[in-house]
Amino acid sequence: MSAVIDKPAGERGAAAEPRWWEPPPRPVWEEKPTKAGLASKGLVLALACLGILFPLWIIVVTSLSSRKTIDEAGGLVMIPKDITFVAYQELLSGGQVTRAAVISVLVTLVGTAFSMTVSVLCAYGLSRTGSLGHRWLLMILLATMFFSAGLIPTYLLVQSLGLTDTYLALILPSAVSVFNILVLRGFFMGISQELIDSARIDGAGDFRILWRIVMPLSRAVLAVITLFYAVGYWSAWFNASLYLNDQDMMPLQNVMIQLVQKQEAPVGLGQAIKTGELSGLAVQMAVMVMALLPVAVLSPFVQKHFKKGMLTGAVKG
């Protein structure tokens, strides 16, 4: 009788079952990456970061360069030389750009607060499956994601409400995003129903449950949606160009478009550019930096909430 010789797990057939003392085989994507794989991933990430940071570097350096340095470089500057803050000093000296920046900040703060209030209340109501007409309201909201009246009816509606040449025209037409409401609704539905029922037994109403229980447990998704709304208001320019005719009411993004397209220089800067005190390109880059700075500063603080806030809300919705 021949002796049975156990072969190592790697020499047995691929279809052979692992023995009880052997660890189960792992899928390919769970295997430990090789050195070549790690090196290639690091190279790809480095190239991606370089592709993102290099244009930002050029914008910042050009905004801090003197007219002589820009003329010597023939345009955009890559290597800093003769650093000066004249462009920023002129932009923040109280002219049109300063006024536009204040308008953008106020519109962003008021619009974000209004949008978050409406979205949270709507999402909480739709997350309570026993609420009156919640299914029909949900279907109506979903329909607006796929069907729209169009630009002309929207403009006629805003005009008939008397919102043209008012700051409300920058907020109300785009105040609510159905996608954000659905993400909030999905997150709210993931909160334990027993916790809410216990609060009702203690005599808490819907507003108190929302304020004291639901919102503290939803800080991650609230932070993400707040950032979405804030970035949307800060970066918006189309509503202003459509509904505003007064140049003094224009937000920062529209002033930046005018500068980049060289349509009209802000009051006070035009003469400085003509006399050679400032470079028009440096002013354009400085306005871009001012427009990008708030988003670049706030995003890292909200980044940690993206995975929990967005994925959890989307999966449980």
Side-chain angles (χ1 to χ4, degrees):
M1 186 174 180
S2 59
V4 178
I5 302 176
D6 289 338
K7 295 182 179 181
E11 296 180 10
R12 294 199 302 268
E17 294 292 335
R19 301 186 183 277
W20 63 270
W21 63 82
E22 298 175 348
R26 294 185 299 178
V28 177
W29 56 84
E30 292 186 0
E31 293 292 337
K32 185 178 180 181
T34 61
K35 294 183 178 180
L38 290 175
S40 60
K41 291 179 181 178
L43 179 61
V44 171
L45 290 175
L47 292 176
C49 293
L50 183 63
I52 295 173
L53 296 177
F54 186 65
L56 296 177
W57 168 262
I58 292 179
I59 291 174
V60 174
V61 172
T62 305
S63 68
L64 296 174
S65 299
S66 62
R67 185 182 186 90
K68 179 182 178 181
T69 303
I70 294 176
D71 292 339
E72 291 177 354
L76 298 175
V77 181
M78 290 185 291
I79 300 175
K81 180 182 177 183
D82 298 334
I83 298 298
T84 177
F85 293 90
V86 175
Y88 293 95
Q89 292 173 359
E90 293 292 334
L91 288 176
L92 299 175
S93 61
Q96 183 180 358
V97 176
T98 305
R99 181 172 57 252
V102 173
I103 292 172
S104 293
V105 170
L106 293 178
V107 169
T108 300
L109 294 177
V110 176
T112 302
F114 178 77
S115 297
M116 285 300 299
T117 301
V118 175
S119 299
V120 168
L121 293 176
C122 182
Y124 178 72
L126 293 176
S127 66
R128 304 302 98 192
T129 55
S131 58
L132 179 63
H134 100 280
R135 183 177 295 275
W136 287 104
L137 291 175
L138 182 60
M139 292 298 105
I140 293 173
L141 287 177
L142 289 175
T144 62
M145 296 182 64
F146 305 101
F147 305 100
S148 174
L151 180 60
I152 295 177
T154 303
Y155 178 82
L156 293 177
L157 176 61
V158 173
Q159 187 181 46
S160 63
L161 294 175
L163 298 179
T164 53
D165 283 327
T166 65
Y167 292 118
L168 290 178
L170 306 181
I171 298 175
L172 295 182
S174 55
V176 178
S177 169
V178 177
F179 173 79
N180 293 340
I181 290 177
L182 294 179
V183 173
L184 288 170
R185 173 181 177 268
F187 201 97
F188 292 165
M189 292 182 68
I191 297 176
S192 174
Q193 184 62 36
E194 289 77 9
L195 185 62
I196 296 177
D197 291 339
S198 64
R200 290 190 185 278
I201 294 174
D202 292 337
D206 284 321
F207 283 101
R208 188 168 186 178
I209 292 173
L210 175 62
W211 181 257
R212 301 296 297 272
I213 296 177
V214 176
M215 292 185 65
L217 294 176
S218 308
R219 290 176 182 174
V221 69
L222 291 177
V224 174
I225 301 302
T226 300
L227 180 65
F228 283 174
Y229 277 127
V231 171
Y233 280 113
W234 179 261
S235 304
W237 62 271
F238 184 71
N239 284 353
S241 62
L242 190 63
Y243 302 124
L244 298 183
N245 298 315
D246 189 356
Q247 290 295 321
D248 292 336
M249 298 179 64
M250 290 294 177
L252 183 61
Q253 302 297 334
N254 294 78
V255 174
M256 182 181 69
I257 292 174
Q258 294 175 2
L259 281 172
V260 172
Q261 295 179 348
K262 298 181 180 179
Q263 294 178 352
E264 180 181 351
V267 178
L269 288 176
Q271 187 65 26
I273 294 174
K274 291 179 182 178
T275 57
E277 298 177 13
L278 275 177
S279 170
L281 186 59
V283 174
Q284 294 174 9
M285 299 300 108
V287 176
M288 288 186 183
V289 172
M290 291 175 58
L292 292 173
L293 190 60
V295 179
V297 171
L298 293 177
S299 294
F301 296 98
V302 188
Q303 185 69 31
K304 61 181 180 180
H305 298 298
F306 265 84
K307 181 178 180 181
K308 183 179 180 181
M310 289 302 297
L311 296 184
T312 306
V315 171
K316 293 187 178 181

